[in-house]
Amino acid sequence: MLETVKYLIGSAGPSGFSSKSTAEQVTDVCPDLSSITAIITGATSGIGAETARVLARRGARLVLPARSQKAAEDTKARIVSEFPESEIIVMGLDLSSLHSVRRFVAEFESLNLPLNLLINNAGKFSYDHGISEDGVEMTFATNYLGHFLLTKLLLKRMIETAKGSGVQGRIVNVSSSIHTWFSGDMIRYLHLITKNKRSEMEANVTVNCVHPGIVRTRLTRDREGLLTDLVFFLASKLLKTIPQAAATTCYVATNSRLVNVSGKYYSDCNEASTSKLGSSLSEAARLWTASEIMVSTDNSNTLFHPSNPWD
């Protein structure tokens, strides 16, 4: 109850920010980002677009991957009209396709750019059950597996950039408090929705997750209608504006207080607690191993092999 009251009134936490803080406000104290190159997925609308706009305002070079070239170009045009000096690169990427992810990374690497910041923001929430071209349930393929492979393939460039520049790299995964609703065996659950078909390294790169808050964005586009409208109307007092929803992402991506902070979960620009399952290292290791199998170039005969972690 107390946490709800703090949320509603916008009571500041230890960071000095709150549920009412905006992305611009939390980056007022960040250093100049003109030496930073950032990749932001899902930047064509909603939280991702606001995150891109604010980071461009602070001087960061942006790479905006998107399924729709036009939507990404429109986002770029809006940002450049506000900040003419912005450097923004638009590239094609369909996160539901492992082939597309690999192609994007190859094209990005051909640009010989550094990579300081990766914000895995894109999300999809489908009403109908769908299967990706790789035989994976579409929401899981887009929201998690595509980002898993993207991060895995870009990590080498991030490590090299951090080593060469001396500036710590950051990976920000936009998640949701909905993860606390789940208490089952994730690996076996994924087995049910997916078609049959953890490593450590020395790196000056941190990884943290954020919950942006409740906000109506295009994430719910597949569930538009009377019921969706009613739910959001009833929850209107809990809703954030998009600038407020982008604040936690921007805070974790830029604030100097988070140097050397990794493996944490943030909400309303302050560290928060995850579910017991969400903080389990053993479950994380199992999911990592299963994900490695799924993104392998030839997983059709190994995905449900008796010796793999799905069984």
Side-chain angles (χ1 to χ4, degrees):
M1 181 65 179
L2 180 60
E3 292 302 315
T4 301
V5 172
K6 288 182 177 179
Y7 174 89
L8 291 174
I9 67 176
S11 177
S15 69
F17 301 110
S18 72
S19 61
K20 302 299 183 185
S21 300
T22 67
E24 287 198 8
Q25 289 170 342
V26 302
T27 56
D28 278 340
V29 295
C30 82
D32 175 53
L33 301 181
S34 58
S35 64
I36 299 298
T37 298
I39 293 178
I40 308 171
T41 67
T44 58
S45 65
I47 297 169
E50 177 66 3
T51 299
R53 187 189 74 84
V54 171
L55 293 186
R57 178 187 180 93
R58 306 304 178 192
R61 176 199 285 130
L62 303 181
V63 177
L64 307 183
R67 284 185 303 169
S68 169
Q69 188 87 1
K70 181 182 185 304
E73 290 290 354
D74 288 345
T75 298
K76 175 181 177 179
R78 287 194 298 271
I79 295 174
V80 171
S81 68
E82 188 174 359
F83 311 113
E85 300 302 315
S86 300
E87 184 177 354
I88 302 175
I89 301 168
V90 170
M91 300 179 68
L93 171 62
D94 179 355
L95 282 163
S96 71
S97 164
L98 299 180
H99 172 73
S100 179
V101 173
R102 291 189 176 92
R103 182 176 58 195
F104 165 80
V105 172
E107 291 176 354
F108 173 77
E109 290 182 338
S110 72
L111 299 177
N112 292 317
L113 292 174
L115 181 58
N116 310 89
L117 176 60
L118 172 62
I119 299 180
N120 293 319
N121 167 83
K124 179 181 178 64
F125 184 43
S126 297
Y127 179 77
D128 296 319
H129 180 269
I131 296 294
S132 74
E133 65 183 44
D134 301 293
V136 180
E137 190 277 327
M138 188 62 76
T139 300
F140 179 70
T142 303
N143 295 5
Y144 173 77
L145 198 62
H147 280 122
F148 175 86
L149 180 59
L150 180 69
T151 303
K152 174 182 168 67
L153 296 180
L154 289 173
L155 190 55
K156 180 180 178 182
R157 178 56 55 91
M158 294 194 74
I159 293 172
E160 292 172 348
T161 299
K163 185 176 181 180
S165 66
V167 177
Q168 191 169 67
R170 297 190 184 188
I171 299 171
V172 181
N173 296 318
V174 179
S175 181
S176 171
S177 62
I178 292 176
H179 82 275
T180 62
W181 298 2
F182 189 84
S183 60
D185 186 328
M186 176 60 76
I187 306 302
R188 293 189 181 279
Y189 176 71
L190 294 178
H191 186 166
L192 297 176
I193 63 174
T194 300
K195 182 180 177 181
N196 188 350
K197 235 193 111 169
R198 168 142 170 174
S199 62
E200 297 181 1
M201 61 186 71
E202 185 177 344
N204 189 22
V205 178
T206 64
V207 186
N208 292 292
C209 292
V210 304
H211 169 53
I214 306 171
V215 58
R216 187 165 190 177
T217 68
R218 292 188 67 248
L219 178 65
T220 60
R221 59 189 174 273
D222 289 344
R223 287 180 178 253
E224 294 297 321
L226 180 60
L227 181 58
T228 303
D229 291 340
L230 179 61
V231 169
F232 277 97
F233 173 75
L234 294 175
S236 60
K237 295 300 182 182
L238 299 175
L239 293 181
K240 287 186 176 184
T241 65
I242 287 177
Q244 290 170 343
T248 305
T249 299
C250 289
Y251 172 77
V252 174
T254 66
N255 197 276
S256 59
R257 296 180 62 172
L258 272 68
V259 172
N260 296 326
V261 175
S262 191
K264 303 296 184 179
Y265 175 69
Y266 289 83
S267 178
D268 299 331
C269 302
N270 288 278
E271 186 177 341
S273 299
T274 67
S275 67
K276 183 178 180 179
L277 186 62
S279 58
S280 168
L281 294 180
S282 61
E283 288 301 312
R286 290 180 67 213
L287 181 58
W288 183 285
T289 302
S291 301
E292 288 273 18
I293 294 171
M294 294 185 73
V295 300
S296 65
T297 54
D298 181 14
N299 63 21
S300 58
N301 294 320
T302 62
L303 195 54
F304 299 106
H305 189 276
S307 64
N308 79 47
W310 291 78
D311 298 314

